[in-house]
Each structure stands twice: as C-alpha cells, then as structure tokens.
Amino acid sequence: MTSRRMLLVILVLATSACIQLQGLPPASRYFLLEPMSDVDKIHVESTLAINIEVVDFPDYLRRPQVVVQQQDNILHFSDSQRWATALEENIAAVLRNNVEQMIPAATVLIGPWHGSQANENMVQLSVRKFTGILGQHSDVDIRWRVIFVAGNELSGTFTHRHAIDDSYEELIRALNLALAKLSKELVTVLLETGA
C-alpha cells in the first residue's frame, strides 16, 4: 500500500514538472483595424446617403484568431494573436468612418439591419481574402458593387498586396492600408457616378 502511494506521488510530481517545463502559453494580443488618420482630399459639397453592407464573408475569417496564410494554401489560426472585435463588423465600421472623413456631409450607414431607403446609394462588399503571409505580403481581395439611387450599378474588384515583415503588427498595418485605398476607390466611384 505504501509503495503504491509513493508511486502515485512520484507520478503527480513528474507530471507537474513536465507541465512547468513547458512554461506558460504566450499572452494573447488583440488587434483592431482603425480608420485613416490622414485624408488627402475632403469633398465637403456632397450630401450623398450611403449604405455599406458586407454581403459575403468567408467562414474561415469568422473567428477571433488572426488568420495568416502559409505555403501551399495552408491557413494558420493563432491562438495568441486575436481580433478585438468581430472582423466583419470591424471592416464595415472602418470603411464607414473613412467615407465619412472624405465626405463629411454624407449620411453613411452600415446595413442591412437599419432597412434600406430609396434615397441611399448601396455599397455591397464580398470579401474573398483578408489575410497575408508573414515575411512576404498582405493579401486582400474584395469585390464591390455600388447600386446608385438612379438605379444604375457599377461593380469592380479591389485587390491589394503590400510587402510585410514577419510580424502581426505589420500585417495589421498593411490590412489598414488596404481599407484606406478601398475607401478612396469607393468614394471616387460614388462621387463620379452617383453625385
């Protein structure tokens, strides 16, 4: 009986030592996409009503982990590198804020839950890629469609790759840059065709 207890104590201690040798898991870091900090051109004369809606979003991006690509189309989900909020909502909110900065008199809403109005220009986004390969480049692919109040439509594809180092911070900066460029492209389309 005593030898069994002694063996049990030794096993518990050995297991505890193994767990301690592995160390603590890395602390989680939380990232948030942010609106543009500087605007090249502000269009004060336009009072467009705009509804921005993400209509298609990949399931693999609907998770708290920041997703990066690896070779041969392998995805990596980091447990310690996370989004501070739902990525789909964060993208829509940043685009809304960017458009509001460039067209301050516009009414910019995020759909579809508020109900579309007849006087709104609808911006629909289909996100295909919103990731990158650490040490290489970011990789953004977003299809857009603008349905104007007059009934006409325009659509296009926005792709963006930006060289990055092997840090998650650099990846997030590159993704922010992509959203800033997409925002400028959408504002140009809205003002040239929908004004």
Side-chain angles (χ1 to χ4, degrees):
M1 195 68 146
T2 308
S3 61
R4 281 189 178 177
R5 284 186 184 161
M6 186 64 97
L7 182 59
L8 183 61
V9 169
I10 290 171
L11 284 172
V12 169
L13 290 174
T15 304
S16 175
C18 288
I19 292 171
Q20 290 179 4
L21 287 175
Q22 289 179 354
L24 296 173
S28 294
R29 292 189 305 167
Y30 294 88
F31 295 100
L32 192 64
L33 297 167
E34 296 180 343
M36 297 184 302
S37 56
D38 58 335
V39 177
D40 300 335
K41 187 173 182 183
I42 298 175
H43 307 274
V44 294
E45 68 285 349
S46 178
T47 57
L48 290 174
I50 304 162
N51 181 8
I52 297 173
E53 181 181 357
V54 178
V55 296
D56 191 23
F57 198 75
D59 286 338
Y60 74 89
L61 292 176
R62 286 192 169 112
R63 58 183 65 231
Q65 297 94 341
V66 176
V67 180
V68 294
Q69 292 172 269
Q70 296 177 334
Q71 71 274 6
D72 301 325
N73 295 322
I74 297 171
L75 299 176
H76 174 70
F77 303 93
S78 173
D79 286 329
S80 60
Q81 313 297 320
R82 296 174 165 270
W83 294 110
T85 187
L87 181 57
E88 183 176 358
E89 295 171 13
N90 196 188
I91 290 171
V94 167
L95 288 171
R96 174 188 181 180
N97 196 300
N98 289 348
V99 172
E100 286 176 333
Q101 286 187 63
M102 290 183 278
I103 316 174
T107 302
V108 187
L109 302 170
I110 298 174
W113 41 86
H114 79 282
S116 62
Q117 304 295 321
N119 65 339
E120 291 176 355
N121 298 281
M122 304 292 294
V123 177
Q124 297 179 334
L125 304 168
S126 295
V127 177
R128 301 296 190 94
K129 290 184 181 177
F130 200 78
T131 183
I133 303 174
L134 297 181
Q136 294 186 28
H137 57 78
S138 60
D139 195 2
V140 175
D141 182 348
I142 299 175
R143 312 291 164 91
W144 56 262
R145 181 171 84 151
V146 179
I147 305 167
F148 298 96
V149 172
N152 53 323
E153 296 182 16
L154 276 179
S155 60
T157 300
F158 174 82
T159 57
H160 185 263
R161 283 189 170 183
H162 188 75
I164 60 172
D165 62 23
D166 61 355
S167 70
Y168 281 88
E169 293 86 350
E170 189 69 17
L171 171 63
I172 304 306
R173 275 193 285 274
L175 295 175
N176 269 326
L177 177 62
L179 288 182
K181 289 181 178 290
L182 174 60
S183 301
K184 292 174 184 178
E185 185 174 310
L186 291 173
V187 164
T188 299
V189 169
L190 285 161
L191 292 175
E192 288 181 355
T193 311

